[in-house]
Amino acid sequence: MELGGFRIPEEVVRIREGIRTMRIRGAGNIARNGALALAIAAERFSGSDLEAFLKYMGLVADYVRSSRPTAVSLPNAVSYVMSRLERSRPTSVDDARRAVVEASKEFIEYSENAVKLIGELGARRIERGDILMTHCHSTVAVSVIVTAFRQGKVERVYVKETRPAFQGLITARELAKEGVEVVLIPDSAVRYYMKKVDKVVVGADTIAANGAVVNKIGTSVVALVAKEARVRFYVASETYKFSPYTILGELVPIEVRDPTEVVDPGWLAENPNVQVFNPVFDVTPPEYVDAVITERGVIPPQLAALILIEQYGVKLLDAYPAHRSLGLHVDTE
Amino acid sequence: MDCPRAVEGYSRVVGEVSEARVPGSTEAALRVVQALADVLRYCDSDVPKLLLQLVGKALQARPGSQTVRSITHLFLRRVLEFVPSSGTGNPRGEAVDRALAEVLNYVEGVREVISEIGSRRLEPGDVVLTYSYSTTVLRVLERAAKRGVDFEVYVAESRPIAEGRLMASALGKLGIRTTLVVDSAIRYVMKRVSKAFVGAEAVAANGAVVGKVGTSVVALVAKEARVRFYVAAGLYKFSPETVFGDLVAIGELENPELIVPQDRLGEVAPYLGRGIRTRTPLYDVTPPEYVDAVITERGLIAPQLVFYFAREFFGVDAQYVGVEKLAEEVGRLWS
């Protein structure tokens, strides 16, 4: 593939398409693949023109970033690598390449480590004999549940099927493989079974500055139903899923996917008067979330802005100099 | 048609009803009594024994649903009333025909009134949310559309059976602007919705509504969004046993092939029965405080009042005769 006069390596195209078609899925996994794609792109660049390399990497970064709109983990992973490239002040292509490859490796290691750490912190919230519920498939949520199970705490897990794509089946399989007792239920049965549940653990695609959690469609229903039943609702999330854009007032775009993920094309043809609306994510308000379990600690969702300012403060404000006057500047870097 | 075929036909209907393959609880009940009428028409000396057994099966087919119970009750009551003590020709057959016609007529009348009352709740520009499949709700919306009210409808699938797709299809065919969503998208779309209409399987003494599983989720989400939540239900859905303290027993399905779609079953198959169980109730219970009104043939009433109005249907509460007892009495006429 050609982009702005540069050849984009086939493996990078494959990763980008994999994310777009949901073959590569899960916000953490998408982020790691995004970082990997940048490293591959850097390694495959031939030539010694540094300026060309930087331009090329910028194009690749935009290309990878644009594969799916909602999960912020992907642009955050890309920024992680690109900001380190920038900060390294390279004087040759070799320097620059090394900076990208190292940053990519560092991000992937950080991310994998975060999954383990979140599992350990989250498991402390689970008590012996607990019956849990989860929605969709989340590597970090599974990490929390499996860690707690290995500590002998988890009695049973209700796993919601998660229409339309049935990612609940992946979660069910992963938990069963570890020996966890799984009850697979349709999404519609969430309120019926909530009475039997002690705690809910879900993952996140993006967390906004106000602590609102953007996650797979139906998450906010589980949260509301848990609230009604006074069941604790925990969100497991790496901090690179917090969205720096939202602190500047941007809304999180919600991806709407093809109707054929809900019904088959034959059904659509037979029912020309019926539309199918297939939003992929929904927003859970922070007041329904008891805590967010991050690799930097268990925090109330409302603390999201602080995490963001600590992580991105200066850079954010550089990108939007006009916002300096809003007094958002926090000098932490 | 002969007796064994009639019995076979009846068993088939009951099988379909128990796997929730008949959409709409009143449809299911009408199919049951139609098949039961055939048994009465074509069977003879076996009826007393058969009837008890067959009625029992139908009641177990949709535990939690009052509709089969009430409609069977009404049908048997009419048979009992119409079979003359003596006569020539085929008096029992005629009584069965008349009883069946009355039941169908009664249900049609109820739906007619409910659709008229319910349709008055719709205003131009309304965005309606409905769930699963309900002929009564369909009739309400059809009448409003015919009257020229401009509105659109969101329908949630209602897994595991996904009767919502049938509902969306039926609404589309009526020319009503319809959008199908997955059950998980209920809260996402509720912000756009102005009113929710659902059907019911049963209404308990306290006004709690038994509906297709997920109905209570719609009610809760509607409440959160301050969207009015209406239940369209004939008074025959009232569950008289609950007055005497009985709980509505809700059956659960465990068969993986009914809960997980065929083409996805392979993903969990190695663990089924070894770590992974599938499970779902067919119904759930919506507390009365989430229900703004029940639309009945006697008017739009608070859910807590259904008990009072339904007494007319069942007769004086203390004299309520169980459907099993009626089956016994009707059977005696055939012996």
Side-chain angles (χ1 to χ4, degrees):
Chain A
M1 207 196 83
E2 280 245 336
L3 202 65
F6 294 99
R7 221 185 64 75
I8 307 295
E10 208 174 295
E11 280 149 285
V12 174
V13 177
R14 212 175 309 132
I15 288 173
R16 200 245 187 201
E17 284 310 291
I19 295 172
R20 204 179 56 81
T21 59
M22 286 172 64
R23 183 172 53 75
I24 298 168
R25 35 157 307 285
N29 199 27
I30 288 174
R32 289 187 288 276
N33 272 280
L36 181 67
L38 294 180
I40 293 170
E43 278 170 346
R44 296 291 143 83
F45 181 84
S46 55
S48 55
D49 181 348
L50 178 61
E51 214 161 296
F53 178 83
L54 295 176
K55 194 173 158 219
Y56 159 81
M57 282 311 296
L59 287 168
V60 172
D62 288 342
Y63 173 67
V64 170
R65 208 184 272 134
S66 66
S67 41
R68 279 186 83 188
T70 302
V72 77
S73 56
L74 180 62
N76 278 351
V78 171
S79 302
Y80 183 97
V81 175
M82 294 305 283
S83 65
R84 273 154 188 80
L85 167 63
E86 204 182 312
R87 247 186 281 157
S88 73
R89 297 181 205 281
T91 54
S92 71
V93 169
D94 279 347
D95 274 4
R97 184 183 290 124
R98 203 176 310 117
V100 171
V101 172
E102 267 171 22
S104 161
K105 214 174 119 207
E106 196 181 285
F107 179 84
I108 292 168
E109 268 173 23
Y110 179 89
S111 165
E112 279 163 357
N113 199 33
V115 173
K116 241 193 296 172
L117 210 57
I118 289 171
E120 278 160 28
L121 294 183
R124 294 195 184 142
R125 289 267 145 167
I126 314 292
E127 295 160 288
R128 192 167 287 277
D130 269 353
I131 294 176
L132 308 178
M133 187 184 275
T134 189
H135 180 70
C136 198
H137 173 257
S138 151
T139 308
V140 263
V142 166
S143 174
V144 169
I145 295 169
V146 167
T147 309
F149 173 75
R150 286 183 184 151
Q151 295 167 359
K153 292 173 174 173
V154 179
E155 172 100 14
R156 183 160 69 238
V157 181
Y158 285 93
V159 176
K160 295 179 71 244
E161 57 178 2
T162 319
R163 283 275 291 147
F166 291 102
Q167 289 96 337
L169 299 180
I170 304 170
T171 305
R173 216 170 49 214
E174 285 187 3
L175 292 176
K177 207 180 291 170
E178 294 289 330
V180 181
E181 187 191 324
V182 172
V183 184
L184 187 62
I185 60 166
D187 296 316
S188 56
V190 57
R191 190 169 174 276
Y192 183 91
Y193 288 113
M194 190 58 83
K195 256 189 144 168
K196 303 179 200 258
V197 170
D198 298 297
K199 278 149 202 161
V200 176
V201 183
V202 298
D205 278 273
T206 290
I207 296 182
N210 65 340
V213 175
V214 182
N215 193 40
K216 187 53 44 69
I217 189 84
T219 302
S220 77
V221 179
V222 187
L224 173 64
V225 170
K227 187 86 182 171
E228 181 204 26
R230 295 197 52 182
V231 168
R232 295 252 184 243
F233 185 87
Y234 295 117
V235 175
S237 170
E238 303 91 321
T239 52
Y240 56 76
K241 291 178 183 165
F242 289 53
S243 168
Y245 311 104
T246 54
I247 205 165
L248 299 169
E250 277 188 39
L251 292 164
V252 177
I254 302 288
E255 184 181 3
V256 175
R257 293 181 71 91
D258 201 75
T260 55
E261 290 183 354
V262 178
V263 288
D264 58 59
W267 194 92
L268 285 172
E270 280 164 33
N271 294 281
N273 288 340
V274 181
Q275 307 279 316
V276 177
F277 181 51
N278 181 24
V280 190
F281 304 100
D282 68 11
V283 182
T284 302
E287 62 268 29
Y288 294 171
V289 177
D290 284 289
V292 183
I293 304 157
T294 78
E295 75 280 13
R296 294 172 61 186
V298 177
I299 61 164
Q302 291 83 354
L303 217 74
L306 201 61
I307 295 264
L308 282 167
I309 289 165
E310 279 182 8
Q311 209 137 320
Y312 304 98
V314 171
K315 256 181 298 155
L316 260 183
L317 299 163
D318 287 348
Y320 294 85
H323 290 272
R324 282 180 200 281
S325 57
L326 295 178
L328 274 173
H329 189 92
V330 178
D331 204 358
T332 53
E333 240 186 32
Chain B
M1 177 82 76
D2 54 18
C3 180
R5 285 239 186 101
V7 172
E8 199 191 300
Y10 182 88
S11 303
R12 200 176 43 242
V13 168
V14 169
E16 282 172 20
V17 167
S18 70
E19 289 179 359
R21 274 187 280 146
V22 185
S25 70
T26 307
E27 264 53 51
L30 291 177
R31 299 259 319 259
V32 167
V33 291
Q34 272 159 343
L36 193 60
D38 277 342
V39 172
L40 291 177
R41 281 183 192 123
Y42 298 105
C43 300
D44 199 27
S45 53
D46 294 341
V47 164
K49 203 177 74 212
L50 268 178
L51 198 56
L52 259 182
Q53 194 193 329
L54 295 184
V55 166
K57 260 204 225 163
L59 298 184
Q60 284 156 26
R62 249 171 126 107
S65 176
Q66 177 63 29
T67 321
V68 171
R69 189 174 279 271
S70 289
I71 296 295
T72 307
H73 193 273
L74 180 63
F75 173 65
L76 293 176
R77 233 157 63 202
R78 290 292 176 265
V79 172
L80 208 54
E81 198 179 303
F82 295 150
V83 172
S85 44
S86 66
T88 52
N90 182 12
R92 289 190 307 216
E94 277 165 29
V96 168
D97 292 347
R98 256 183 82 196
L100 188 60
E102 262 217 14
V103 168
L104 296 176
N105 197 33
Y106 163 76
V107 168
E108 176 54 28
V110 166
R111 281 182 172 159
E112 189 60 16
V113 177
I114 291 178
S115 68
E116 176 58 31
I117 296 173
S119 69
R120 292 190 188 146
R121 286 271 137 167
L122 281 150
E123 294 164 292
D126 265 344
V127 179
V128 170
L129 176 72
T130 188
Y131 186 72
S132 193
Y133 181 94
S134 157
T135 313
T136 313
V137 171
L138 192 60
R139 292 275 295 268
V140 168
L141 299 176
E142 182 183 13
R143 171 140 336 188
K146 281 208 173 124
R147 193 183 283 157
V149 182
D150 180 39
F151 62 96
E152 64 170 306
V153 183
Y154 279 90
V155 187
E157 281 190 306
S158 142
R159 288 265 304 144
I161 315 288
E163 302 94 324
R165 290 187 208 161
L166 290 172
M167 187 72 173
S169 242
L171 287 163
K173 285 186 184 114
L174 291 172
I176 296 170
R177 259 184 302 151
T178 306
T179 305
L180 179 72
V181 295
V182 297
D183 301 333
S184 278
I186 284 170
R187 190 170 176 277
Y188 187 104
V189 298
M190 193 59 85
K191 258 188 144 170
R192 307 174 176 185
V193 168
S194 52
K195 279 155 197 160
F197 285 84
V198 300
E201 299 282 339
V203 180
N206 63 340
V209 174
V210 180
K212 258 322 144 44
V213 62
T215 303
S216 76
V217 181
V218 178
L220 173 65
V221 171
K223 186 86 180 170
E224 182 203 27
R226 296 197 52 182
V227 167
R228 295 253 184 242
F229 183 83
Y230 296 108
V231 176
L235 290 170
Y236 57 85
K237 300 209 170 160
F238 179 71
S239 163
E241 281 86 355
T242 55
V243 176
F244 306 110
D246 278 353
L247 292 165
V248 177
I250 290 179
E252 288 181 55
L253 290 175
E254 296 209 12
N255 344 14
E257 62 278 7
L258 289 177
I259 298 173
V260 183
Q262 224 58 48
D263 58 326
R264 304 300 297 265
L265 207 51
E267 294 174 41
V268 284
Y271 295 102
L272 284 175
R274 271 173 296 171
I276 301 179
R277 275 183 303 146
T278 51
R279 219 171 152 83
T280 187
L282 284 176
Y283 313 119
D284 69 8
V285 181
T286 302
E289 62 268 29
Y290 294 171
V291 178
D292 284 288
V294 182
I295 306 163
T296 75
E297 68 269 32
R298 291 296 311 278
L300 190 129
I301 58 178
Q304 292 85 349
L305 258 184
V306 171
F307 164 51
Y308 179 83
F309 283 95
R311 289 201 300 190
E312 287 169 26
F313 177 85
F314 292 100
V316 181
D317 45 358
Q319 284 172 16
Y320 174 72
V321 182
V323 71
E324 294 89 344
K325 186 106 186 300
L326 270 174
E328 225 179 289
E329 282 180 40
V330 170
R332 239 178 265 135
L333 295 173
W334 261 254
S335 63

